[in-house]
Amino acid sequence: PRNSEDEMERLFSRGWVFVGPDSEIPQSGDFIPRSIGTEPVIMARDQDGRITVLVNRCAHRGTMVCPAPRGHARVFACPYHGWVYNTEGKLLSMNAKTGFPADINADGALNLRRVPRLEHYRGFYFVNYDPNAISLSDYLAGAKSFLDVMCDQAEGEIMVVPGEHSYSINANYKFLCENSYDGYHLLPTHISYLEFLDEHVAFARQRADQCLA
């Protein structure tokens, strides 16, 4: 639909989009693929400990070089023709001893592409496909104070709790976002969960009363 195309162009191609916290990939070689709009990317920590975000498409034929949901690796290998890249996106091997000029990648054009802009605030990394976009700090504006409040509550760094909820819906993504803060549906849709919480709280209170007795 035209509206979806406009949204991809005006929002995801020009605005700052959250890709992940640095604590999600703590060690060199850690990586986690993400999608920014319609573009698959890899958020990775290279061997020098720096975080980079690479477009998850081989420079040869566009095949995804990293289909795994997350992990640890020294290199990314394209499953189609075997091109190999390091965690910085540099092309290491074309899986052929002949057929290519020795200096074919002298200008780095065959490396994995990096996103045009990558900036972070308090360990939260954002990407932007517009090289002329305003800075992340200006874009976040007053929202930075909310991130500060959340981060300042922690004694150390913010950590990502293991496990996740994954959804696949054939609908506009905003419906899923709306559902997450729609309290109106909570009672009729999630009554079993609320009853579980009620029983859990009652049990905890009973145990506490027994300990105090």
Side-chain angles (χ1 to χ4, degrees):
R2 181 60 183 171
N3 288 341
S4 297
E5 294 175 0
D6 287 346
E7 204 167 58
M8 292 298 114
E9 170 62 26
R10 300 182 183 185
L11 299 180
F12 289 94
S13 295
R14 302 181 187 178
W16 287 97
V17 182
F18 178 60
V19 65
D22 56 5
S23 59
E24 200 165 12
I25 47 173
Q27 304 297 324
S28 294
D30 289 349
F31 67 86
I32 183 163
R34 290 277 154 77
S35 293
I36 305 298
T38 59
E39 189 79 273
V41 298
I42 310 168
M43 181 181 179
R45 192 179 290 271
D46 66 25
Q47 297 307 310
D48 293 325
R50 295 170 300 195
I51 290 179
T52 185
V53 176
L54 307 165
V55 176
N56 192 4
R57 296 190 186 279
C58 181
H60 183 212
R61 292 295 179 87
T63 302
M64 290 180 62
V65 300
C66 183
R70 65 177 64 233
H72 181 91
R74 295 186 62 86
V75 297
F76 300 117
C78 176
Y80 193 10
H81 294 104
W83 284 27
V84 178
Y85 304 85
N86 66 14
T87 51
E88 297 176 11
K90 182 180 179 181
L91 178 62
L92 301 179
S93 169
M94 303 174 82
N95 193 33
K97 295 182 178 180
T98 61
F100 298 104
D103 60 348
I104 190 172
N105 196 35
D107 60 357
L110 296 180
N111 294 336
L112 291 180
R113 290 190 297 117
R114 296 190 178 198
V115 293
R117 299 280 296 279
L118 174 65
E119 296 181 18
H120 61 91
Y121 181 77
R122 298 296 296 265
F124 296 96
Y125 278 73
F126 295 76
V127 303
N128 196 312
Y129 291 116
D130 182 1
N132 300 314
I134 62 175
S135 70
L136 174 63
S137 180
D138 290 340
Y139 182 84
L140 291 176
K144 289 184 291 187
S145 62
F146 292 97
L147 293 175
D148 291 336
V149 168
M150 181 177 64
C151 293
D152 291 341
Q153 293 182 64
E155 295 181 359
E157 65 178 348
I158 298 294
M159 300 298 294
V160 176
V161 178
E164 64 183 25
H165 289 282
S166 297
Y167 301 91
S168 178
I169 58 173
N170 185 22
N172 191 302
Y173 73 95
K174 292 192 292 297
F175 285 122
L176 183 59
C177 297
E178 180 189 55
N179 180 74
S180 67
Y181 55 76
D182 170 21
Y184 188 36
H185 80 284
L186 188 60
L187 186 60
T189 305
H190 302 292
I191 184 63
S192 60
Y193 177 65
L194 295 176
E195 290 174 343
F196 162 77
L197 291 179
D198 188 51
E199 293 174 0
H200 181 75
V201 170
F203 177 76
R205 286 176 176 170
Q206 182 181 11
R207 291 294 303 272
D209 291 341
Q210 292 173 349
C211 291
L212 294 174

